[in-house]
Amino acid sequence: MAREILYREALNEALREEMRRDPTVFLMGEGIAERGGSYKVTVDLLKEFSPQRVIDTPIAEASFTGAGVGAAIAGMRPVVEILFIDFTMLILDQIINQAAKYKFMSGGKAPVPFVLRSQGGVGNGLAAQHSESLEALFYHIPGLKVVMPSTPYDAKGLLKSAIRCDEPVIFLEHKLLYMTKGDVPEAEYTINFGQADIKKRGKHATIIAWSNMVPRSLDAAAKLANEGIDVEVIDPRTLVPLDKATILASVRKTERVVIVQEAVRRGGVASDIASIIQAEAFDYLDAPIEIVAGLNSPVPFNLSLESRVVPREEDIINAVKKVMYI
Amino acid sequence: MVTPINMPQVGQDIETAVVTEWKVKSGDKIKVGDVIALVESDKAVFEVEAYAAGTITEIVVEEGEEGKVFEPMAYMRTEKETLVEGERSDEQGEGRKEEGDRRPKTGDRDKEDIEQSTFSVPHSTHRPFASPSARRLARQHDIDLSTLAGSGPNGRIVKKDILKAFEQSAIGHQPSAKDEEMKADSRQPNTQSLQSAVEDKDHAIPFTKIRQTIADRMTRSATTIPHFYLCIHADMTAALAWRESYNVTAVEKISINDMLIRAVVHSLKKFPRMNAHVESDKLIAKKDINIGVAVSLGEGLIVPVIPRADALSLDEIHVAAKNAALQAKSGVMKITDPGTFTISNLGMFGVHQFTPIINPPEAGILGVGAVEKQFVPGPNNSFAVREKIKLTLACDHRAIDGAYAAEFLNSMRSFLEKFE
């Protein structure tokens, strides 16, 4: 039986179910226990589980992330929450030099079953230090999985898989998605990494989008449908590993591609996906791949300017028309 | 002295042609028979060959530009002049002679080959912009991208341009396996609704260049030439039997079309008014017999010419007809003399009979139907089964009268019925 729940409720369920299932799972983060998290993802977990498993930390990201990585190496399954992805700049050594490398450098003897939960993207006027989309930083580092769910269903299924994964997972939520609703089954399920989801089937062009750009692309797709343009919207769901097969199959079908990312254009994941497509489906492309991305700029602390630095619905519509030579 | 290389007349009534590609540039050495440029008329692309050896001194009509026929498209200094002018040229001549002496074979060709290898510079080739998808489709379906105009940015040929070209070529020719494949391809979900979006309502399919040429010429012919038609039955039984036995040992299998060309040539010799160009106040009886054979290309009808068909044996006619058709299909035709009479054969499509429109300024055209078995009454209420063909002759009544045309047809019939 499916019911409609919020994205943040789906995440809460995933944490709760995994903590019940596996006593080595525990949570650490700022304000996650008593307060239930700034976005209420961990609400009420302290009531069910002990303070030893739902730990409020001091404002010392490097320290508690390091503690989490150490605990993972020692056999626990920590889920560490960093309140804003912007703050992960404080923990890069723990993640990049330790978590991502440890299994490799120990000859496979010491896996790091560690989950970093964080959230990114523009909200409503949260300014440059609380609005970034930094998935490309983690995407770049071998040894890390990068997960970016766009729906409550995906959020729950993917978080459960992340917790069960023996490798470090960067699990990136979006602040504007927490209050979105979607169908989530009551029965237990997980979603495997590396399986893209076709959010809308179509035939004229392929939009590849993740996180909050998925609902925006679906809105654009609905508008385009009114004009007789039927686009396919693919959500990779996990950027590492990336489901190339689903993407390439869609490209071979539609022959036109628009990649939408909220992150800034330069050095983004979209560029990398575009390079994969041109290399592996070159003969099928009927138009240059369009990338709709954030401007190469910090996010301004001004609502109307903020809305201009990240892809808008009309930007996506225009890009689709461009690849269709309309 | 420098001599001009004139723009050839690459078809009847052609006043201008476009240089699509220069194979040489100023300063390049050329030898007789080198293809130096590709020139495009309304209907096809022709190769321009060097008529003399020498050096290109100036290109007058640049790639993509239009030039008037019989006017200079480039200038060259012929080899002879190079040799007599100045000492330096003499030295070159000496040097080449020595070179020639060391080689077992001497002669112009060898000398020029040496020059070629010394002086030839790779030239750039024009590559049309096309999307990878368009290229893939064109490759799969043998579509020559250089014949298409791209609708994308920078004139890029995109998938819909290929589909459009295919749609246009599908009109008026028999579906082949390849076409079916192509249709299947265009039925793929990505293009289907694009197609149907177009097909759901009336839509214009603009004429291609070749289509427009056909339209203009046929309109002129049908509206200005007083056509009349004569139809005759010829008994092909003996001819087919002869062909069957001939082809048993023949390397090149003779076709019915080859035999018809032979019969037409035979009768044109006897009826010179049929082998003519007609003007408003005179008929110009042509000295050569140049037979045009209508060939259906994807994008339209084209009539490659077999020049001097009167000087060819049946085997030679076969080879010439085959090569002419292949060249026409390849899109690049040799420049030949203008046709003097045209044959259009739709027999292979099962057409019994049809009335063709004269290819101006010719005086006549022969429409050929299918060979079909017919019961023919014999003596004492007996009957026989014979192979019959219907030949329809269209004539320009300004130059030809019915009786003359009938005699022409009868001559053809008796030739075919006693074919050997």
Side-chain angles (χ1 to χ4, degrees):
Chain A
M1 282 292 287
R3 71 254 128 95
E4 270 209 339
I5 60 171
L6 296 172
Y7 186 92
R8 66 172 164 82
E9 290 169 343
L11 290 166
N12 183 277
E13 282 187 6
L15 292 170
R16 189 185 299 273
E17 286 174 20
E18 290 307 297
M19 289 177 80
R20 284 177 187 164
R21 187 187 61 81
D22 182 349
T24 66
V25 177
F26 73 100
L27 315 181
M28 285 198 289
E30 295 161 0
I32 64 161
E34 296 284 351
R35 190 168 170 229
S38 289
Y39 289 96
K40 294 198 179 345
V41 171
T42 50
V43 74
D44 287 344
L45 293 179
L46 182 61
K47 279 187 195 161
E48 178 170 347
F49 306 100
S50 67
Q52 283 74 39
R53 294 184 70 193
V54 185
I55 304 169
D56 269 331
T57 63
I59 303 173
E61 286 84 358
S63 302
F64 68 78
T65 303
V69 173
I73 292 168
M76 301 294 282
R77 290 189 180 267
V79 179
V80 170
E81 179 182 311
I82 299 290
L83 192 45
F84 285 83
I85 194 170
D86 315 74
F87 307 161
T88 62
M89 298 304 97
L90 295 159
I91 62 161
L92 286 182
D93 181 68
Q94 283 77 353
I95 299 296
I96 293 173
N97 284 329
Q98 310 306 330
K101 307 285 193 298
Y102 208 78
K103 183 180 173 188
F104 179 79
M105 295 183 74
S106 67
K109 285 184 188 139
V112 186
F114 168 88
V115 177
L116 176 78
R117 274 188 53 245
S118 190
Q119 56 79 22
V122 299
N124 285 306
L126 297 179
Q129 296 159 321
H130 301 77
S131 302
E132 290 174 286
S133 297
L134 297 177
E135 65 268 24
L137 285 176
F138 300 103
Y139 179 90
H140 186 66
I141 303 301
L144 300 177
K145 310 278 189 214
V146 180
V147 181
M148 296 189 79
S150 68
T151 66
Y153 176 87
D154 293 345
K156 182 176 178 184
L158 288 167
L159 183 52
K160 286 167 71 80
S161 290
I163 291 167
R164 297 177 194 190
C165 179
D166 284 338
E167 285 164 62
V169 175
I170 310 298
F171 192 93
L172 301 177
E173 299 150 18
H174 194 290
K175 51 179 76 68
L176 290 183
L177 288 173
Y178 285 126
M179 293 303 284
T180 59
K181 273 192 167 179
D183 283 348
V184 175
E186 287 185 2
E188 192 186 6
Y189 68 96
T190 58
I191 297 170
N192 290 340
F193 287 0
Q195 275 183 4
D197 188 36
I198 301 175
K199 297 296 186 196
K200 177 188 171 302
R201 292 203 178 263
K203 50 202 166 194
H204 293 150
T206 299
I207 295 177
I208 300 162
W210 50 92
S211 195
N212 195 39
M213 290 300 108
V214 173
R216 195 156 298 174
S217 297
L218 288 169
D219 289 345
K223 291 248 169 73
L224 287 162
N226 292 336
E227 298 181 44
I229 300 168
D230 185 13
V231 296
E232 185 145 298
V233 179
I234 292 183
D235 177 0
R237 301 196 289 197
T238 61
L239 296 177
V240 183
L242 184 70
D243 183 357
K244 288 201 303 188
T246 298
I247 290 172
L248 293 172
S250 178
V251 172
R252 291 195 180 101
K253 181 175 74 171
T254 65
E255 307 193 341
R256 298 167 182 91
V257 186
V258 174
I259 308 175
V260 188
Q261 72 177 16
E262 180 173 336
V264 297
R265 174 72 174 77
R266 187 164 55 225
V269 175
S271 303
D272 197 53
I273 295 175
S275 110
I276 291 167
I277 292 170
Q278 66 81 19
E280 301 195 27
F282 178 77
D283 281 332
Y284 291 84
L285 290 173
D286 197 36
I289 297 166
E290 275 295 309
I291 293 178
V292 183
L295 302 185
N296 293 327
S297 159
V299 175
F301 184 40
N302 169 306
L303 279 179
S304 53
L305 286 178
E306 178 186 274
S307 73
R308 297 303 294 265
V309 298
V310 294
R312 296 166 298 172
E313 194 179 291
E314 62 190 278
D315 300 324
I316 301 170
I317 289 172
N318 289 339
V320 168
K321 289 183 174 175
K322 192 170 174 197
V323 297
M324 292 186 68
Y325 300 110
I326 296 174
Chain B
M1 279 288 287
V2 173
T3 58
I5 300 172
N6 287 338
M7 178 72 78
Q9 189 174 32
V10 291
Q12 288 166 15
D13 306 327
I14 299 283
E15 286 172 4
T16 60
V18 175
V19 175
T20 55
E21 184 183 345
W22 274 108
K23 301 274 192 190
V24 294
K25 56 183 172 45
S26 187
D28 280 359
K29 308 268 177 180
I30 56 171
K31 57 184 196 295
V32 177
D34 278 354
V35 174
I36 57 171
L38 294 182
V39 169
E40 188 181 29
S41 77
D42 291 347
K43 276 193 153 193
V45 177
F46 296 86
E47 291 175 348
V48 179
E49 292 183 0
Y51 59 88
T55 308
I56 300 284
T57 56
E58 190 191 349
I59 303 276
V60 181
V61 183
E62 296 289 350
E63 277 184 13
E65 286 182 3
E66 201 168 35
K68 282 193 175 159
V69 299
F70 303 133
E71 288 195 12
M73 58 192 286
Y75 288 94
M76 68 179 289
R77 189 181 298 277
T78 55
E79 192 159 71
K80 208 176 265 173
E81 286 159 2
T82 322
L83 290 177
V84 295
E85 272 177 22
E87 288 175 34
R88 204 179 129 71
S89 301
D90 274 344
E91 278 168 21
Q92 275 180 7
E94 288 295 325
R96 268 190 276 148
K97 216 175 259 168
E98 279 172 25
E99 189 73 30
D101 289 340
R102 278 199 275 118
R103 293 163 65 96
K105 276 209 250 168
T106 57
D108 285 346
R109 199 153 274 280
D110 284 327
K111 286 185 210 162
E112 283 147 16
D113 284 347
I114 295 159
E115 260 196 328
Q116 277 285 310
S117 60
T118 319
F119 291 101
S120 73
V121 180
H123 58 82
S124 65
T125 50
H126 174 63
R127 179 176 176 274
F129 291 138
S131 80
S133 168
R135 278 188 193 285
R136 183 176 56 91
L137 263 183
R139 203 159 54 228
Q140 282 170 1
H141 301 289
D142 285 338
I143 293 169
D144 181 1
L145 287 174
S146 65
T147 63
L148 299 182
S151 65
N154 288 328
R156 183 190 304 147
I157 299 165
V158 299
K159 186 174 184 180
K160 71 176 173 204
D161 298 324
I162 305 272
L163 293 175
K164 200 169 91 180
F166 175 72
E167 208 170 83
Q168 285 172 4
S169 73
I171 299 165
H173 83 137
Q174 288 286 97
S176 67
K178 237 175 204 172
D179 298 341
E180 290 305 319
E181 212 178 283
M182 183 89 173
K183 273 188 207 146
D185 208 40
S186 62
R187 269 199 299 270
Q188 279 177 359
N190 52 323
T191 53
Q192 185 186 26
S193 62
L194 271 185
Q195 299 270 77
S196 58
V198 172
E199 283 160 8
D200 279 348
K201 47 184 189 286
D202 297 349
H203 64 286
I205 301 171
F207 283 170
T208 55
K209 209 172 176 192
I210 174 167
R211 195 74 251 156
Q212 189 63 54
T213 305
I214 294 169
D216 294 344
R217 286 176 60 81
M218 290 300 104
T219 303
R220 180 153 65 87
S221 176
T223 56
T224 65
I225 299 177
H227 284 67
F228 71 91
Y229 294 95
L230 302 181
C231 183
I232 200 166
H233 256 126
D235 189 327
M236 294 292 284
T237 315
L240 290 181
W242 177 89
R243 170 171 165 261
E244 198 176 329
S245 63
Y246 182 88
N247 279 350
V248 171
T249 52
V251 181
E252 292 283 350
K253 309 288 182 203
I254 299 301
S255 71
I256 294 175
N257 221 34
D258 301 332
M259 299 162 84
L260 286 163
I261 294 170
R262 187 86 182 87
V264 163
V265 169
H266 165 83
S267 300
L268 286 175
K269 279 187 200 163
K270 290 188 169 176
F271 296 89
R273 288 181 75 86
M274 294 298 311
N275 188 57
H277 284 178
V278 183
E279 295 180 6
S280 58
D281 60 344
K282 59 180 170 290
L283 172 147
I284 297 160
K286 304 298 280 186
K287 75 177 163 60
D288 296 331
I289 295 178
N290 304 326
I291 302 292
V293 181
V295 172
S296 173
L297 293 188
E299 60 269 37
L301 182 73
I302 197 159
V303 185
V305 171
I306 303 167
R308 299 295 314 274
D310 48 328
L312 302 179
S313 69
L314 185 60
D315 286 331
E316 289 166 339
I317 285 175
H318 170 80
V319 172
K322 195 172 79 174
N323 289 344
L326 283 176
Q327 271 186 8
K329 283 177 181 164
S330 76
V332 178
M333 303 214 297
K334 290 247 182 269
I335 298 159
T336 61
D337 303 325
T340 59
F341 188 88
T342 298
I343 300 176
S344 181
N345 187 347
L346 292 176
M348 60 289 253
F349 300 120
V351 170
H352 304 287
Q353 185 203 349
F354 67 101
T355 51
I357 295 175
I358 289 170
N359 187 20
E362 294 169 12
I365 182 168
L366 186 74
V368 180
V371 175
E372 292 168 315
K373 288 189 194 304
Q374 280 188 9
F375 290 115
V376 176
N380 302 322
N381 288 336
S382 69
F383 58 84
V385 178
R386 309 289 292 178
E387 305 276 0
K388 292 280 207 171
I389 193 167
K390 274 184 177 160
L391 304 175
T392 307
L393 178 68
C395 296
D396 184 338
H397 214 328
R398 293 174 302 175
I400 314 281
D401 292 333
Y404 190 84
E407 286 180 50
F408 172 83
L409 267 186
N410 279 324
S411 154
M412 261 197 81
R413 173 167 61 188
S414 30
F415 185 86
L416 285 170
E417 292 184 348
K418 292 179 211 133
F419 200 94
E420 51 180 33

